[in-house]
Amino acid sequence: MRTTDFSAAPPQGRADAMFIGATKYTGPLAMWHTIRTWFPMVRQMKRMSGYRWHTVYYRFPYTIGTIAFFEDQDAMLKFARSRHHRDLMCWLTDEGATNATAGFIRLFTAQPHGYSNGTWRAEDGTMSHMPTWTPLSTETTGPRVHR
């Protein structure tokens, strides 16, 4: 069911902004050093207004990444300016390739509409199917959904 009401969705479903990033560390010692800044940074992020949810992922051998959701882009950018986040980014980048050899950050914003069903439905609770697919950028209306 298409919707613009995500009030019944879990925290990440209610977010309008998403961050995804990763850092490729130079080795286990650099990864270990991150912990000194990481836990205070996460505590600070969770206390900030607009924080919704986050998770961490690992890619062998030395890459750690984060996916985080925020109420809106302003909340996400306020976190990026926070002291602990700033300290970590400076430590990663100020010493050339001593601590990290690569990294990326991507910022995404949610469209006002999406899809919901089941427990996370915020409408009247009926489970109806969509009559058409969401249109692609080259279409004005999407094709009918075949049953």
Side-chain angles (χ1 to χ4, degrees):
M1 179 76 182
R2 284 191 189 102
T3 187
T4 56
D5 184 357
F6 294 95
S7 60
Q12 56 271 45
R14 294 189 309 269
D16 281 346
M18 183 186 97
F19 161 96
I20 182 169
T23 301
K24 184 176 183 182
Y25 293 90
T26 54
L29 190 59
M31 291 173 74
W32 182 253
H33 178 83
T34 299
I35 291 173
R36 286 186 355 195
T37 309
W38 176 257
F39 287 110
M41 182 183 74
V42 170
R43 276 194 303 275
Q44 181 181 33
M45 178 174 66
K46 287 181 173 182
R47 285 192 311 263
M48 293 184 80
S49 175
Y51 166 81
R52 291 292 181 253
W53 180 86
H54 82 282
T55 191
V56 176
Y57 65 95
Y58 170 75
R59 184 171 177 194
F60 184 81
Y62 302 123
T63 300
I64 298 175
T66 303
I67 302 171
F69 294 86
F70 296 87
E71 178 180 4
D72 55 30
Q73 190 167 3
D74 281 351
M76 180 171 57
L77 295 175
K78 283 178 186 174
F79 167 70
R81 297 175 184 183
S82 69
R83 185 186 72 141
H84 293 299
H85 184 263
R86 210 172 47 244
D87 289 349
L88 179 60
M89 292 300 104
C90 289
W91 177 80
L92 286 170
T93 59
D94 283 355
E95 299 176 31
T98 303
N99 302 313
T101 59
F104 75 91
I105 292 172
R106 294 295 310 259
L107 307 176
F108 297 95
T109 54
Q111 298 292 324
H113 61 278
Y115 303 91
S116 67
N117 63 16
T119 303
W120 297 328
R121 286 285 303 270
E123 293 89 5
D124 63 4
T126 59
M127 297 286 293
S128 60
H129 291 281
M130 305 174 320
T132 61
W133 294 100
T134 299
L136 303 177
S137 62
T138 57
E139 300 172 327
T140 54
T141 58
R144 289 197 49 76
V145 174
H146 300 287
R147 299 269 172 249

